[in-house]
Amino acid sequence: MLGYIRASKPDMTFRNYELYKGVYCTLCKSLGKRYGFIPRFILSYDFTFFAMVRMALRNQCPGFKKSRCSFNPAKKCLDCNRDNEDIAYTADVTILMMYHKLRDNIQDSKFFKRLFYRMIMPYAKHLYKKACKRTGEVYKVLEKQMARQQEIEKRNGNLDESADPSAVMLAELLIYNLECADKETLRKFGYMVGRWVYITDAVNDCEDDIKDGSFNPLKSRFDDENFLQYCEEMMNLTIGEAINCYKRLKIFRFDDILTNILYDGVYAVAKKVLKKEVAENE
Amino acid sequence: MSNPYEVLGVNEGAGIDEVKRAYRDLARQYNNDYQKMDEINAAYDTIVMNFGNKNRKNSYSGSNTHYTYDTAASSGNSEFGDIRAKLNSGRIDDAEMLLDGIPHQRRNAEWFYLKGTIQHRRGWLESAAESFERAHNMEPQNPEYAAAYKQLNREKKGTFRKEAAAEAGETCCCDSCCTCDGCDICTGLCCADCCCECMGGDLIRCC
């Protein structure tokens, strides 16, 4: 996950923005507490969304209070209860995902970058093992899906196939250890969000992947004149399905923020990614 | 349940062609009314099932149109009916296995519709959209296929966003300005407007 799922700031109220930032801050602090200083830099807004969805489905208040941030001690930000299990779990998930992303990078990148990734690998592995211990069985799902992803990439699967492992991964991570009345809807919601991230990333990287000769499910369509329209349709379709599922879920809090992300934030990111493609094509 | 013949507005002795015609007319009329559509579909299904049981011999020996229709209604339907039942009870893998076992020459519009439904459940949206489109193109009159096709098409175009904005009543000419990057003039104007409003004036009427 690479920061594609974020809120649209102009469409937010100050109050919601503060809450949103508060969750981000807490996550960052939790990462620091559980895994040390360095992993704090890999946190992205995607995980804020992830944590907020989980908190929104629970009928207990996360309990916010004001506290100072070590990066910017002059400023106070909202901070929810640090022992909140969703925050802790999301911090663990961040580490799990980072490790797999790193492994993926080692395979895809060129010599110098690869060397760099190799060098930080032992440290990442150490963190990964720690995170596995803390989260229980869920890392097995990740490893299985990562293997599936490689297999699909090898035989040049279509868009639906290649998006499937990432989507399943997010779905399983999202519902893990969470009590929800409508688990299937939540699973599908997670699936669609994961799928959207995958597709958006594929659109974003398409040009580079073609240059490098790496796998990309959109490669065969890249020269079509309707390429951008096709991408936009696929993104819309996926997020539309996610919204359909979201509407069916029982949400206890953060509804405005999550709606903002799903409708406006995601749209702004999609537009930006597509625009970049346009600029590069011209 | 009310008399299916009454629902479709035909005589009890009506032939299959007449029933079919009445059904199509009604389906076109009540395209958007789901409750009414369910009623019409149920009535149509009941009548067609009865036709299959009672008049099988008749229609097989009847004219060419009867013959083709009846195969679709009895043997075709019963096979797909099984698949539909599996789909309804959530056994997607079983349903797909049965569906894939059907030879190519017998894959009609309903086959593609069911395939699309399975893909949709799995979340394979691109393939689902293609299957629904194919089913819809093969039988444009069928309201079930049309509804599925249109639904995904609407999502593709991103209409849900406009609908949400309309519900919230947000239709301002500046909305389009605010979404563009680095549109400094617009931002400046918006800011100026806000300042003016603070002091009791107004620069841009609609904001």
Side-chain angles (χ1 to χ4, degrees), chain A residues 10-11 148 158-161 164 188 191-192 195 221 230 232-241 243-244 247 262-264 266-267 271-272 275, chain B residues 119-130 151-165 167 170 175-176 178-181:
Chain A
D11 297 308
R148 259 188 73 211
N158 64 21
L159 184 64
D160 282 338
E161 278 177 310
D164 196 61
K188 187 142 194 202
Y191 184 97
M192 288 304 160
R195 187 183 145 95
R221 299 197 181 244
Y230 166 80
E232 194 183 352
E233 280 181 2
M234 283 303 124
M235 280 147 94
N236 271 338
L237 190 56
T238 312
I239 207 67
E241 286 287 313
I243 288 172
N244 283 346
K247 281 185 190 157
L262 289 172
Y263 281 96
D264 306 317
V266 152
Y267 176 64
K271 246 182 141 178
K272 213 168 159 186
K275 226 180 198 171
Chain B
Q119 288 158 337
H120 188 241
R121 290 263 183 99
R122 287 236 161 87
W124 292 35
L125 299 176
E126 187 186 12
S127 326
E130 276 167 17
Q151 162 78 14
L152 288 197
N153 238 5
R154 271 181 56 236
E155 279 173 15
K156 266 187 189 174
K157 298 213 170 71
T159 20
F160 46 87
R161 218 165 275 122
K162 273 179 214 136
E163 280 162 21
E167 258 172 49
E170 292 166 15
D175 280 355
S176 52
C178 293
T179 48
C180 66
D181 295 325

Coordinates of all heavy atoms in Angstrom, one line a residue, chain A residues 10-11 148 158-161 164 188 191-192 195 221 230 232-241 243-244 247 262-264 266-267 271-272 275, chain B residues 119-130 151-165 167 170 175-176 178-181:
Chain A
P10 N -9.6 19.5 1.2 CA -10.5 20.6 1.0 C -11.9 20.3 1.4 O -12.7 21.2 1.6 CB -10.3 20.9 -0.5 CG -9.1 20.2 -0.9 CD -8.9 19.1 0.0
D11 N -12.3 19.0 1.3 CA -13.7 18.6 1.5 C -14.0 18.3 3.0 O -15.0 17.8 3.3 CB -14.1 17.5 0.6 CG -14.0 17.8 -0.9 OD1 -14.6 18.9 -1.2 OD2 -13.3 17.1 -1.6
R148 N 1.1 -16.6 -4.9 CA 0.1 -16.6 -6.0 C 0.3 -15.5 -7.0 O 0.2 -15.6 -8.2 CB -1.3 -16.5 -5.4 CG -2.0 -17.8 -5.3 CD -3.5 -17.5 -4.9 NE -4.3 -17.0 -6.0 CZ -5.3 -16.1 -5.9 NH1 -5.7 -15.8 -4.7 NH2 -6.0 -15.7 -6.9
N158 N -4.6 -11.7 -16.6 CA -5.3 -10.5 -16.9 C -5.5 -9.6 -15.7 O -5.0 -10.0 -14.6 CB -6.6 -10.8 -17.6 CG -7.6 -11.5 -16.7 OD1 -7.4 -11.5 -15.5 ND2 -8.5 -12.2 -17.3
L159 N -6.2 -8.5 -15.8 CA -6.3 -7.6 -14.7 C -7.0 -8.2 -13.5 O -6.5 -8.0 -12.4 CB -7.0 -6.3 -15.2 CG -7.1 -5.2 -14.2 CD1 -5.8 -4.6 -13.9 CD2 -8.0 -4.1 -14.7
D160 N -8.1 -8.9 -13.8 CA -8.8 -9.4 -12.7 C -8.0 -10.4 -11.9 O -8.0 -10.4 -10.7 CB -10.1 -10.2 -13.2 CG -11.2 -9.2 -13.6 OD1 -11.2 -8.1 -13.0 OD2 -12.1 -9.6 -14.4
E161 N -7.3 -11.3 -12.6 CA -6.5 -12.3 -12.0 C -5.4 -11.6 -11.1 O -5.1 -12.0 -10.0 CB -5.8 -13.2 -13.0 CG -6.7 -14.3 -13.5 CD -6.1 -15.1 -14.5 OE1 -5.5 -14.5 -15.5 OE2 -6.0 -16.3 -14.4
D164 N -6.2 -10.0 -7.9 CA -6.9 -10.9 -6.9 C -6.0 -11.1 -5.7 O -6.6 -10.9 -4.6 CB -7.3 -12.2 -7.6 CG -8.3 -13.0 -6.7 OD1 -9.4 -12.4 -6.5 OD2 -7.9 -14.1 -6.3
K188 N -15.8 -8.2 1.3 CA -15.9 -7.7 0.0 C -15.4 -6.3 -0.1 O -14.8 -5.9 -1.1 CB -17.3 -7.9 -0.5 CG -17.5 -7.5 -2.0 CD -18.4 -8.4 -2.7 CE -18.3 -8.2 -4.2 NZ -19.4 -8.6 -5.0
Y191 N -11.8 -6.3 -0.1 CA -11.3 -6.8 -1.4 C -11.3 -5.7 -2.5 O -10.4 -5.5 -3.2 CB -12.3 -8.0 -1.9 CG -11.9 -8.6 -3.2 CD1 -11.1 -9.8 -3.2 CD2 -12.2 -8.1 -4.4 CE1 -10.7 -10.4 -4.3 CE2 -11.8 -8.7 -5.6 CZ -11.1 -9.9 -5.6 OH -10.7 -10.5 -6.7
M192 N -12.4 -5.0 -2.5 CA -12.6 -3.9 -3.5 C -11.5 -2.8 -3.3 O -11.0 -2.3 -4.2 CB -14.0 -3.3 -3.5 CG -15.0 -4.3 -4.1 SD -14.5 -4.8 -5.7 CE -15.5 -6.3 -5.9
R195 N -8.2 -4.1 -4.4 CA -8.2 -4.1 -5.8 C -8.0 -2.8 -6.4 O -7.3 -2.6 -7.4 CB -9.6 -4.7 -6.3 CG -9.7 -5.0 -7.8 CD -11.1 -5.5 -8.1 NE -11.4 -5.0 -9.4 CZ -11.3 -5.7 -10.5 NH1 -10.9 -6.9 -10.5 NH2 -11.7 -5.2 -11.7
R221 N -2.8 -3.0 -23.1 CA -3.7 -2.0 -23.5 C -3.1 -0.6 -23.6 O -3.8 0.3 -24.0 CB -4.9 -1.9 -22.5 CG -5.6 -3.2 -22.3 CD -6.9 -2.9 -21.6 NE -7.7 -4.1 -21.5 CZ -8.8 -4.3 -22.1 NH1 -9.4 -3.4 -22.8 NH2 -9.5 -5.5 -21.9
Y230 N -10.3 3.6 -20.3 CA -10.4 2.2 -19.7 C -9.9 2.2 -18.3 O -10.6 1.6 -17.4 CB -9.5 1.3 -20.6 CG -9.3 -0.1 -20.0 CD1 -10.3 -1.1 -20.0 CD2 -8.1 -0.4 -19.3 CE1 -10.1 -2.3 -19.5 CE2 -7.9 -1.6 -18.8 CZ -8.9 -2.6 -18.8 OH -8.7 -3.8 -18.2
E232 N -9.8 4.6 -16.1 CA -10.7 5.3 -15.3 C -11.9 4.5 -15.0 O -12.4 4.4 -13.8 CB -11.1 6.6 -15.9 CG -11.7 7.6 -15.0 CD -12.2 8.9 -15.6 OE1 -11.8 9.1 -16.8 OE2 -12.9 9.6 -14.9
E233 N -12.4 3.8 -16.0 CA -13.6 3.0 -15.8 C -13.4 1.9 -14.8 O -14.2 1.6 -14.0 CB -14.0 2.4 -17.2 CG -14.8 3.4 -18.0 CD -15.3 2.8 -19.3 OE1 -15.0 1.6 -19.6 OE2 -15.9 3.5 -20.1
M234 N -12.2 1.2 -15.0 CA -11.9 0.1 -14.0 C -11.8 0.6 -12.6 O -12.2 0.0 -11.7 CB -10.6 -0.6 -14.4 CG -10.7 -1.5 -15.6 SD -12.0 -2.7 -15.3 CE -13.1 -2.5 -16.7
M235 N -11.1 1.8 -12.4 CA -11.0 2.3 -11.1 C -12.4 2.7 -10.5 O -12.7 2.4 -9.4 CB -10.1 3.6 -11.1 CG -8.6 3.2 -11.1 SD -7.6 4.3 -12.0 CE -7.0 5.4 -10.9
N236 N -13.2 3.4 -11.3 CA -14.5 3.8 -10.9 C -15.4 2.6 -10.5 O -16.0 2.6 -9.5 CB -15.2 4.5 -12.0 CG -15.0 6.0 -12.0 OD1 -14.6 6.5 -11.0 ND2 -15.2 6.6 -13.1
L237 N -15.3 1.5 -11.4 CA -16.1 0.3 -11.1 C -15.7 -0.3 -9.8 O -16.6 -0.6 -9.0 CB -15.8 -0.6 -12.3 CG -16.6 -1.9 -12.4 CD1 -18.1 -1.5 -12.5 CD2 -16.2 -2.7 -13.7
T238 N -14.4 -0.3 -9.5 CA -14.0 -1.0 -8.3 C -14.4 -0.2 -7.1 O -14.9 -0.7 -6.1 CB -12.5 -1.2 -8.4 OG1 -12.1 -1.7 -9.6 CG2 -12.0 -2.1 -7.3
I239 N -14.1 1.1 -7.1 CA -14.4 1.9 -5.9 C -16.0 2.0 -5.8 O -16.5 2.1 -4.7 CB -13.8 3.3 -6.0 CG1 -13.5 3.8 -4.5 CG2 -14.5 4.3 -6.8 CD1 -12.5 3.0 -3.8
G240 N -16.7 2.0 -6.9 CA -18.2 2.0 -6.8 C -18.7 0.7 -6.1 O -19.6 0.9 -5.2
E241 N -18.1 -0.4 -6.4 CA -18.5 -1.6 -5.6 C -18.1 -1.5 -4.2 O -18.8 -2.0 -3.3 CB -17.8 -2.8 -6.2 CG -18.3 -3.3 -7.6 CD -19.7 -3.9 -7.5 OE1 -19.8 -4.8 -6.6 OE2 -20.6 -3.5 -8.2
I243 N -18.0 1.2 -2.4 CA -18.9 2.1 -1.8 C -20.3 1.3 -1.5 O -20.9 1.5 -0.5 CB -19.1 3.3 -2.6 CG1 -17.9 4.2 -2.5 CG2 -20.4 4.1 -2.2 CD1 -17.9 5.4 -3.5
N244 N -20.7 0.5 -2.5 CA -21.9 -0.3 -2.3 C -21.8 -1.1 -1.0 O -22.7 -1.2 -0.3 CB -22.1 -1.2 -3.5 CG -22.7 -0.5 -4.7 OD1 -23.1 0.7 -4.5 ND2 -22.6 -1.1 -5.8
K247 N -21.9 1.0 2.2 CA -23.2 1.5 2.6 C -24.0 0.4 3.4 O -24.8 0.8 4.2 CB -24.0 1.8 1.3 CG -23.7 3.2 0.7 CD -24.6 3.4 -0.4 CE -24.2 4.6 -1.2 NZ -24.8 4.5 -2.6
L262 N -13.6 7.7 0.5 CA -14.1 6.8 -0.5 C -14.7 7.6 -1.7 O -14.5 7.2 -2.9 CB -15.2 5.9 0.0 CG -14.7 4.8 0.9 CD1 -15.9 4.1 1.6 CD2 -13.8 3.8 0.2
Y263 N -15.3 8.8 -1.5 CA -15.8 9.5 -2.6 C -14.8 10.5 -3.2 O -14.6 10.5 -4.3 CB -17.1 10.3 -2.1 CG -18.3 9.4 -2.0 CD1 -18.7 8.8 -0.8 CD2 -19.1 9.2 -3.2 CE1 -19.9 8.1 -0.8 CE2 -20.2 8.4 -3.1 CZ -20.6 7.8 -1.9 OH -21.7 7.1 -1.8
D264 N -14.3 11.4 -2.3 CA -13.5 12.5 -2.8 C -12.0 12.2 -2.8 O -11.3 12.5 -3.8 CB -13.8 13.7 -2.0 CG -15.2 14.0 -1.9 OD1 -15.9 13.9 -2.9 OD2 -15.7 14.3 -0.8
V266 N -10.2 9.4 -2.9 CA -9.9 8.4 -3.9 C -10.0 9.0 -5.3 O -9.2 8.8 -6.1 CB -10.8 7.2 -3.6 CG1 -11.0 6.4 -4.9 CG2 -10.2 6.3 -2.5
Y267 N -11.0 9.8 -5.5 CA -11.2 10.4 -6.8 C -10.1 11.4 -7.1 O -9.6 11.3 -8.3 CB -12.6 11.1 -6.7 CG -12.9 11.9 -8.0 CD1 -13.1 11.2 -9.2 CD2 -13.1 13.3 -7.9 CE1 -13.5 11.9 -10.3 CE2 -13.4 14.0 -9.1 CZ -13.6 13.3 -10.2 OH -13.9 14.0 -11.4
K271 N -7.6 10.9 -10.3 CA -7.4 12.0 -11.3 C -6.0 12.3 -11.5 O -5.5 12.5 -12.6 CB -8.2 13.2 -10.8 CG -9.4 13.5 -11.7 CD -10.0 14.8 -11.2 CE -10.5 15.6 -12.3 NZ -11.2 16.8 -11.9
K272 N -5.3 12.4 -10.3 CA -3.9 12.8 -10.4 C -3.0 11.8 -11.1 O -2.2 12.1 -12.0 CB -3.4 12.9 -8.9 CG -2.3 14.0 -8.7 CD -2.1 14.1 -7.2 CE -0.8 14.8 -6.9 NZ -0.6 14.8 -5.5
K275 N -3.8 11.9 -14.8 CA -3.3 13.2 -15.3 C -1.8 13.0 -15.6 O -1.3 13.4 -16.7 CB -3.5 14.3 -14.3 CG -4.0 15.5 -15.0 CD -4.1 16.6 -13.9 CE -5.0 17.7 -14.4 NZ -5.3 18.6 -13.3
Chain B
Q119 N -18.6 -14.0 -11.6 CA -17.5 -13.2 -11.6 C -17.7 -11.9 -10.7 O -16.8 -11.5 -10.0 CB -17.1 -12.7 -13.0 CG -16.6 -13.9 -13.8 CD -16.8 -13.7 -15.3 OE1 -17.6 -12.9 -15.8 NE2 -15.9 -14.3 -16.1
H120 N -18.9 -11.4 -10.7 CA -19.2 -10.3 -9.9 C -19.1 -10.6 -8.4 O -18.5 -9.8 -7.6 CB -20.6 -9.8 -10.2 CG -21.0 -8.5 -9.6 ND1 -22.0 -8.4 -8.7 CD2 -20.4 -7.3 -9.7 CE1 -22.1 -7.1 -8.3 NE2 -21.1 -6.4 -8.9
R121 N -19.6 -11.8 -8.0 CA -19.5 -12.2 -6.6 C -18.0 -12.3 -6.2 O -17.6 -12.0 -5.1 CB -20.1 -13.5 -6.4 CG -21.6 -13.5 -6.5 CD -22.3 -13.4 -5.2 NE -23.7 -13.5 -5.3 CZ -24.4 -14.6 -5.2 NH1 -23.9 -15.7 -4.8 NH2 -25.7 -14.5 -5.4
R122 N -17.2 -12.8 -7.1 CA -15.8 -13.0 -6.8 C -15.0 -11.7 -6.7 O -14.0 -11.6 -6.2 CB -15.1 -13.8 -7.9 CG -15.5 -15.2 -7.9 CD -14.2 -16.1 -7.8 NE -14.6 -17.4 -7.4 CZ -14.9 -18.4 -8.2 NH1 -15.0 -18.2 -9.5 NH2 -15.2 -19.6 -7.7
G123 N -15.7 -10.6 -7.3 CA -15.0 -9.4 -7.4 C -14.2 -9.2 -8.7 O -13.4 -8.2 -8.8
W124 N -14.4 -10.1 -9.6 CA -13.6 -9.9 -10.9 C -14.4 -9.0 -11.8 O -15.1 -9.5 -12.7 CB -13.4 -11.3 -11.5 CG -12.5 -12.1 -10.7 CD1 -12.3 -12.1 -9.4 CD2 -11.5 -13.1 -11.2 NE1 -11.3 -13.0 -9.0 CE2 -10.8 -13.6 -10.1 CE3 -11.2 -13.5 -12.5 CZ2 -9.8 -14.5 -10.3 CZ3 -10.2 -14.4 -12.6 CH2 -9.5 -14.9 -11.5
L125 N -14.3 -7.8 -11.6 CA -15.3 -6.8 -12.2 C -15.1 -6.7 -13.7 O -16.1 -6.5 -14.4 CB -15.2 -5.5 -11.5 CG -15.5 -5.5 -10.0 CD1 -15.2 -4.2 -9.4 CD2 -16.9 -5.9 -9.7
E126 N -13.9 -6.7 -14.1 CA -13.7 -6.5 -15.6 C -14.4 -7.6 -16.4 O -15.2 -7.3 -17.3 CB -12.3 -6.4 -15.9 CG -12.1 -6.0 -17.4 CD -10.6 -6.1 -17.9 OE1 -9.8 -6.6 -17.2 OE2 -10.4 -5.6 -19.0
S127 N -14.1 -8.8 -16.0 CA -14.8 -10.0 -16.7 C -16.3 -9.9 -16.5 O -17.0 -10.2 -17.4 CB -14.2 -11.3 -16.1 OG -12.9 -11.2 -15.7
A128 N -16.7 -9.6 -15.3 CA -18.2 -9.5 -15.0 C -18.8 -8.5 -16.0 O -19.9 -8.8 -16.5 CB -18.4 -9.2 -13.6
A129 N -18.2 -7.4 -16.1 CA -18.8 -6.3 -17.0 C -18.9 -6.8 -18.4 O -19.9 -6.6 -19.1 CB -18.0 -5.0 -16.9
E130 N -17.9 -7.5 -18.8 CA -17.9 -8.1 -20.2 C -19.0 -9.1 -20.4 O -19.7 -9.1 -21.4 CB -16.5 -8.7 -20.5 CG -15.5 -7.7 -21.0 CD -14.1 -8.2 -21.0 OE1 -13.9 -9.5 -20.9 OE2 -13.1 -7.4 -21.0
Q151 N -26.2 -1.4 -14.4 CA -25.6 -1.1 -13.1 C -24.1 -0.9 -13.1 O -23.6 0.0 -12.6 CB -26.0 -2.3 -12.1 CG -25.2 -2.4 -10.9 CD -25.7 -1.4 -9.8 OE1 -26.8 -0.8 -10.0 NE2 -24.9 -1.2 -8.8
L152 N -23.4 -1.9 -13.7 CA -22.0 -1.8 -13.8 C -21.5 -0.7 -14.7 O -20.5 0.0 -14.4 CB -21.4 -3.1 -14.3 CG -21.4 -4.3 -13.3 CD1 -20.5 -5.4 -13.7 CD2 -21.1 -3.8 -11.9
N153 N -22.3 -0.4 -15.7 CA -22.0 0.7 -16.6 C -22.0 2.1 -15.9 O -21.2 2.9 -16.1 CB -22.9 0.8 -17.8 CG -22.1 0.6 -19.1 OD1 -20.9 0.5 -19.1 ND2 -22.8 0.8 -20.2
R154 N -23.0 2.2 -15.0 CA -23.2 3.4 -14.2 C -22.0 3.6 -13.3 O -21.4 4.6 -13.1 CB -24.5 3.3 -13.4 CG -25.7 3.9 -14.1 CD -26.9 3.8 -13.2 NE -26.7 4.5 -12.0 CZ -26.9 3.9 -10.8 NH1 -27.2 2.7 -10.7 NH2 -26.7 4.6 -9.7
E155 N -21.6 2.5 -12.7 CA -20.4 2.5 -11.8 C -19.2 2.9 -12.5 O -18.3 3.7 -12.0 CB -20.2 1.2 -11.0 CG -21.2 1.1 -9.9 CD -21.1 -0.3 -9.2 OE1 -20.2 -1.0 -9.5 OE2 -22.1 -0.5 -8.4
K156 N -19.0 2.4 -13.7 CA -17.8 2.7 -14.6 C -17.7 4.2 -14.8 O -16.6 4.7 -14.7 CB -18.0 2.0 -15.9 CG -17.3 0.7 -16.1 CD -17.4 0.3 -17.5 CE -17.0 -1.1 -17.7 NZ -17.2 -1.6 -19.1
K157 N -18.8 4.8 -15.0 CA -18.8 6.2 -15.3 C -18.7 7.1 -14.1 O -18.5 8.3 -14.1 CB -20.1 6.6 -16.0 CG -20.3 5.9 -17.4 CD -21.0 6.8 -18.4 CE -20.9 6.1 -19.8 NZ -21.7 4.9 -19.9
G158 N -18.8 6.4 -12.9 CA -18.6 7.1 -11.6 C -19.8 8.0 -11.2 O -19.6 9.0 -10.6
T159 N -21.0 7.6 -11.7 CA -22.1 8.4 -11.3 C -22.4 8.5 -9.9 O -23.0 9.4 -9.4 CB -23.4 7.9 -12.0 OG1 -23.2 6.5 -12.4 CG2 -23.7 8.7 -13.3
F160 N -21.9 7.5 -9.1 CA -22.2 7.5 -7.7 C -21.7 8.7 -7.0 O -22.3 9.2 -6.0 CB -21.7 6.2 -7.0 CG -20.2 5.9 -7.4 CD1 -19.2 6.5 -6.7 CD2 -20.0 5.1 -8.4 CE1 -17.9 6.2 -7.0 CE2 -18.7 4.8 -8.8 CZ -17.6 5.4 -8.1
R161 N -20.7 9.3 -7.6 CA -20.1 10.5 -7.0 C -21.0 11.7 -7.1 O -21.3 12.4 -6.2 CB -18.7 10.8 -7.6 CG -17.7 11.2 -6.7 CD -16.4 11.2 -7.3 NE -15.7 9.9 -7.2 CZ -15.3 9.1 -8.1 NH1 -15.5 9.5 -9.4 NH2 -14.8 7.9 -7.9
K162 N -21.6 11.8 -8.4 CA -22.5 12.9 -8.6 C -23.7 12.8 -7.8 O -24.3 13.8 -7.3 CB -22.8 12.9 -10.1 CG -21.8 13.7 -10.9 CD -22.2 13.7 -12.4 CE -21.0 13.7 -13.2 NZ -21.0 12.8 -14.4
E163 N -24.2 11.5 -7.7 CA -25.4 11.3 -6.9 C -25.2 11.7 -5.5 O -26.1 12.4 -4.9 CB -25.8 9.8 -7.0 CG -26.5 9.5 -8.2 CD -26.5 8.0 -8.5 OE1 -26.3 7.2 -7.5 OE2 -26.7 7.6 -9.6
A164 N -24.1 11.4 -4.9 CA -23.8 11.7 -3.5 C -23.8 13.2 -3.3 O -24.3 13.8 -2.4 CB -22.5 11.1 -3.1
A165 N -23.1 13.9 -4.3 CA -23.0 15.3 -4.2 C -24.4 16.0 -4.3 O -24.7 16.9 -3.6 CB -22.1 15.9 -5.3
E167 N -27.2 14.6 -3.5 CA -27.9 14.3 -2.2 C -27.6 15.3 -1.1 O -28.4 15.8 -0.4 CB -27.6 12.9 -1.7 CG -28.7 11.9 -2.0 CD -28.2 10.5 -1.7 OE1 -27.7 10.4 -0.5 OE2 -28.4 9.6 -2.5
E170 N -24.6 19.8 -2.8 CA -23.4 20.6 -3.1 C -23.3 20.7 -4.6 O -22.8 19.9 -5.3 CB -22.2 19.8 -2.7 CG -22.1 19.7 -1.2 CD -21.0 18.7 -0.8 OE1 -20.2 18.3 -1.7 OE2 -21.0 18.3 0.3
D175 N -16.8 24.3 -7.4 CA -16.4 22.9 -7.1 C -15.3 22.5 -8.1 O -14.4 21.8 -7.8 CB -17.6 21.9 -7.1 CG -18.3 22.0 -5.8 OD1 -17.9 22.7 -4.9 OD2 -19.4 21.4 -5.7
S176 N -15.6 22.8 -9.4 CA -14.7 22.4 -10.4 C -13.3 23.1 -10.3 O -12.3 22.5 -10.6 CB -15.3 22.6 -11.8 OG -15.7 23.9 -11.9
C178 N -12.0 24.0 -7.4 CA -11.2 23.6 -6.2 C -10.5 22.3 -6.5 O -9.5 22.0 -5.8 CB -12.2 23.5 -5.1 SG -12.8 25.0 -4.5
T179 N -11.0 21.5 -7.4 CA -10.4 20.2 -7.6 C -9.1 20.3 -8.4 O -8.3 19.4 -8.4 CB -11.3 19.2 -8.2 OG1 -11.9 19.8 -9.3 CG2 -12.4 18.7 -7.2
C180 N -8.9 21.3 -9.2 CA -7.8 21.4 -10.1 C -6.5 21.8 -9.3 O -6.6 22.6 -8.4 CB -8.0 22.2 -11.3 SG -8.2 24.0 -10.9
D181 N -5.4 21.2 -9.7 CA -4.2 21.5 -8.9 C -3.6 22.9 -9.4 O -3.6 23.2 -10.5 CB -3.1 20.5 -9.2 CG -3.6 19.1 -8.7 OD1 -4.2 19.1 -7.6 OD2 -3.3 18.1 -9.3

